[in-house]
Amino acid sequence: MDKPQKDSPVDNKMTDSGKKKQPVTACLLSAAFFGSLGSSFLYGYNLSVVNAPALYIKAFYNKTWLERYGEPIGAETATLLWSITVSIFAIGGLLGALSVSFIIKVLGRKGTLLANNSFAVIAALLLSLGEKAKSFEMLIIGRLIMGVDSGIALSALPMYLGEISPRHIRGSIGQFNSILICLGVFTGQVLGLPELLGQESRWNYLFTFLALPALLQLCVLPFLPESPRYLLMERRDEAGAERAFQRFLGKTDVSEELEEVHAEARAQDNLHTVSVLQLLKSPAVRWQLITIIVTMACYQLCGLNAIWYYTNGILREAGFAENVLPYITLSTGAIETLAAIISGLVIEQIGRKPLLIFGFSAMALFFSLLTVFLNFQDSVSWMPYLSYICILAVIASFCSGPGGIPFVLTGELFEQSYRPAAFMIAGTVNWLSNFAVGLLFPFIQETLQTFAFLVFVVVCVSGSIYLCVVLPETKSKTFQDISQSFAKINKIPVPSPGQEMELVLSIKPDTCEKVQDVIKMESSF
């Protein structure tokens, strides 16, 4: 009597169903939360923390200049110093993104996250003690170092989360990155309220807070496992990888997960981590690379950063008093966080591709409506309220997909040996685009006035069309399956089962023993 094959479609469906019912472990959730708390949370916090104390910091710059040089600071010099203080964060981010590939190779995923906390603690000391030391240079250097921390974190964290997660919840776990970014922005807005730390005598404590999430991560993350894929494929530590899988998945038999990683390793031409130049030259990942560059550029160029230029102005036009604005602005941070959480809950049901296309398309729609409302703002008394609703809708649309999925995709579209270089390129595009928006938007706004947002409509529509045509759905797929889905567009032949077996036998000397073990396991069913 013939015994059923282990790889039959029915059995695969049962396996997938069983995986979905498997509970998420406390170890996996702890790694996702505390990994994000000391990384993406700090990035989000630094996006909003300088807004509330801006007037006090500028006054501190003027006071320090007067004490040093005996005359008030010039208007142009004051503007230059403040611009450097804000924009140097992006320069630091670029430096961090450029260095992450090397650091990850030496320290691993978890080790990089832990070492990165040193930058956050040093930055917190410089930023919080700058006023007492009467040194605005300490604030500028602190912002630069905090940017380095964020540049490293936004590459190392998504890589770590993608590699420790079971594939059926990889997107949801990856969205911890986006959720904690939004929560960081919201926390910065809350702590910046006048009743809390947004006062002239307390603003430096806003920067002291930076050390707290970093220290919390340092207390928890050392007791959690390293990425099992990194341990197995790069450190050749199969015993360590098995223990890591067991803790993350909460089960003792992880042979299927180990074999999946072995299969990915056998399918790769080069098991060693490739350089950025090798990645750029490789035809096997050409369209994955183009897709990540386009997606990450759209992530920054879609206009969300620019929306903050208009928010307070629109609220003033609506008749809100100046002292009420900080409280109403909290709604933007709350909407961000709520949309990111909802996205994390539905990403495995809806998929990455639909959420990205919906997010960019909805942003294009609401940017178009915002342009119309802004042009009629002076003629109709209630029009500013519609403009503000559009701003909230743009923020919610961004966080529903484009706000977090580009980082998830960067980890999913590339196999192990390509991943560090891919994150380095994605991070570079991210921070250069961020810097470009900050540099160019004031000129675009001055030239186009209320039609400035139409530039972002073009970006969002172009991104949606590209993703609709090129991007395959990646939910619940192995990294190897995702790579093969690009094989046709990359004009790379997909190996047949016979060729895969030849590859196995040619690469792994001990494969015969492992194949015999698999046959024995199958025969027992």
Side-chain angles (χ1 to χ4, degrees):
M1 187 175 184
D2 292 334
K3 295 177 181 178
Q5 295 294 316
K6 186 179 179 182
D7 292 332
S8 67
V10 174
D11 288 342
N12 278 340
K13 287 179 182 177
M14 291 173 64
T15 302
D16 290 343
S17 175
K19 281 184 179 179
K20 290 178 183 178
K21 292 179 181 177
Q22 182 182 323
V24 181
T25 63
C27 180
L28 181 60
L29 285 176
S30 297
F33 178 76
F34 285 100
S36 302
L37 183 67
S39 304
S40 52
F41 177 87
L42 287 177
Y43 166 70
Y45 184 79
N46 277 280
L47 291 180
S48 63
V49 71
V50 294
N51 294 332
L55 293 176
Y56 307 131
I57 295 174
K58 290 176 183 178
F60 159 65
Y61 282 7
N62 186 50
K63 180 182 176 182
T64 304
W65 191 278
L66 183 62
E67 290 177 357
R68 283 189 192 179
Y69 305 108
E71 59 182 17
I73 191 171
E76 292 183 359
T77 306
T79 303
L80 177 63
L81 282 177
W82 178 246
S83 298
I84 292 173
T85 304
V86 174
S87 61
I88 204 166
F89 179 71
I91 302 298
L94 178 60
L95 294 175
L98 290 173
S99 63
V100 73
S101 179
F102 172 76
I103 298 173
I104 278 179
K105 186 176 181 180
V106 175
L107 300 178
R109 279 60 165 156
K110 188 184 81 168
T112 299
L113 291 175
L114 288 171
N116 197 35
N117 287 302
S118 61
F119 291 113
V121 173
I122 292 170
L125 289 172
L126 289 170
L127 288 162
S128 58
L129 297 177
E131 184 187 26
K132 290 186 177 180
K134 299 180 179 180
S135 170
F136 54 76
E137 293 88 352
M138 288 176 64
L139 269 68
I140 294 172
I141 295 170
R143 285 281 291 176
L144 175 68
I145 294 174
M146 201 61 236
V148 173
D149 174 274
S150 297
I152 294 172
L154 289 187
S155 293
L157 176 68
M159 204 182 308
Y160 180 61
L161 297 182
E163 292 180 9
I164 67 175
S165 308
R167 65 175 180 265
H168 65 285
I169 55 168
R170 193 170 56 224
S172 296
I173 296 298
Q175 281 295 81
F176 269 82
N177 179 46
S178 174
I179 293 169
L180 268 292
I181 289 175
C182 297
L183 190 60
V185 171
F186 185 60
T187 303
Q189 292 173 337
V190 171
L191 292 181
L193 291 174
E195 289 81 3
L196 296 175
L197 301 180
Q199 297 182 15
E200 189 168 10
S201 59
R202 300 177 186 172
W203 65 264
N204 52 345
Y205 295 115
L206 283 167
F207 299 110
T208 307
F209 178 80
L210 290 169
L212 180 60
L215 292 174
L216 285 173
Q217 190 188 81
L218 281 172
C219 291
V220 177
L221 203 59
F223 301 100
L224 300 173
E226 174 61 275
S227 159
R229 288 178 170 274
Y230 169 78
L231 291 173
L232 185 58
M233 297 181 72
E234 297 184 38
R235 289 288 174 89
R236 306 292 193 269
D237 181 4
E238 183 152 0
E242 183 177 7
R243 289 193 298 270
F245 268 131
Q246 288 170 342
R247 289 192 62 191
F248 282 131
L249 302 181
K251 61 181 184 178
T252 54
D253 182 12
V254 292
S255 56
E256 184 180 344
E257 286 76 16
L258 289 171
E259 180 53 35
E260 180 185 313
V261 181
H262 277 304
E264 182 183 337
R266 292 193 294 265
Q268 293 186 50
D269 295 330
N270 185 359
L271 294 181
H272 299 288
T273 303
V274 303
S275 66
V276 171
L277 187 60
Q278 289 172 319
L279 176 61
L280 292 171
K281 289 182 177 179
S282 175
V285 290
R286 181 164 296 148
W287 280 96
Q288 291 97 308
L289 186 60
I290 293 172
T291 299
I292 286 305
I293 290 173
V294 169
T295 308
M296 199 58 77
C298 289
Y299 167 76
Q300 287 291 354
L301 301 178
C302 66
L304 188 80
N305 290 341
I307 205 79
W308 307 116
Y309 286 94
Y310 266 93
T311 303
N312 284 346
I314 289 172
L315 290 173
R316 290 189 189 96
E317 289 286 337
F320 294 105
E322 193 72 30
N323 60 343
V324 181
L325 292 184
Y327 304 96
I328 299 175
T329 305
L330 286 179
S331 61
T332 60
I335 286 290
E336 265 192 312
T337 306
L338 180 62
I341 291 172
I342 293 173
S343 176
L345 293 174
V346 303
I347 187 173
E348 298 301 347
Q349 286 73 42
I350 298 177
R352 286 75 156 143
K353 183 175 180 176
L355 284 176
L356 276 174
I357 294 172
F358 166 78
F360 282 128
S361 301
M363 287 183 77
L365 171 64
F366 290 115
F367 271 136
S368 300
L369 291 174
L370 179 60
T371 302
V372 174
F373 297 152
L374 287 174
N375 277 282
F376 288 98
Q377 189 159 283
D378 295 331
S379 56
V380 183
S381 60
W382 43 265
M383 196 63 73
Y385 295 98
L386 293 180
S387 298
Y388 185 60
I389 291 171
C390 278
I391 286 177
L392 294 179
V394 166
I395 293 170
S397 301
F398 175 80
C399 292
S400 67
I405 294 178
F407 297 99
V408 176
L409 279 181
T410 305
E412 289 185 330
L413 298 190
F414 296 90
E415 293 179 339
Q416 192 80 12
S417 60
Y418 294 107
R419 203 167 288 137
F423 268 100
M424 182 174 170
I425 292 173
T428 302
V429 172
N430 176 28
W431 290 101
L432 285 176
S433 301
N434 181 307
F435 185 72
V437 170
L439 183 68
L440 298 177
F441 182 72
F443 298 102
I444 295 173
Q445 182 185 358
E446 185 178 344
T447 304
L448 299 179
Q449 299 296 321
T450 52
F451 294 99
F453 289 113
L454 294 181
V455 175
F456 304 121
V457 172
V458 174
V459 172
C460 292
V461 170
S462 301
S464 297
I465 293 172
Y466 176 88
L467 293 169
C468 185
V469 173
V470 176
L471 181 67
E473 183 51 65
T474 61
K475 70 173 182 176
S476 300
K477 291 184 179 180
T478 67
F479 295 121
Q480 189 178 353
D481 290 339
I482 295 168
S483 292
Q484 288 179 356
S485 65
F486 277 93
K488 185 175 181 181
I489 191 172
N490 283 324
K491 299 180 180 179
I492 302 295
V494 179
S496 65
Q499 290 173 323
E500 288 182 349
M501 182 56 68
E502 289 177 13
L503 184 63
V504 169
L505 295 172
S506 65
I507 291 179
K508 291 188 71 67
D510 58 340
T511 304
C512 292
E513 295 176 8
K514 294 198 173 185
V515 170
Q516 289 174 357
D517 292 339
V518 172
I519 292 172
K520 288 178 182 178
M521 290 172 61
E522 290 182 350
S523 64
S524 65
F525 282 85

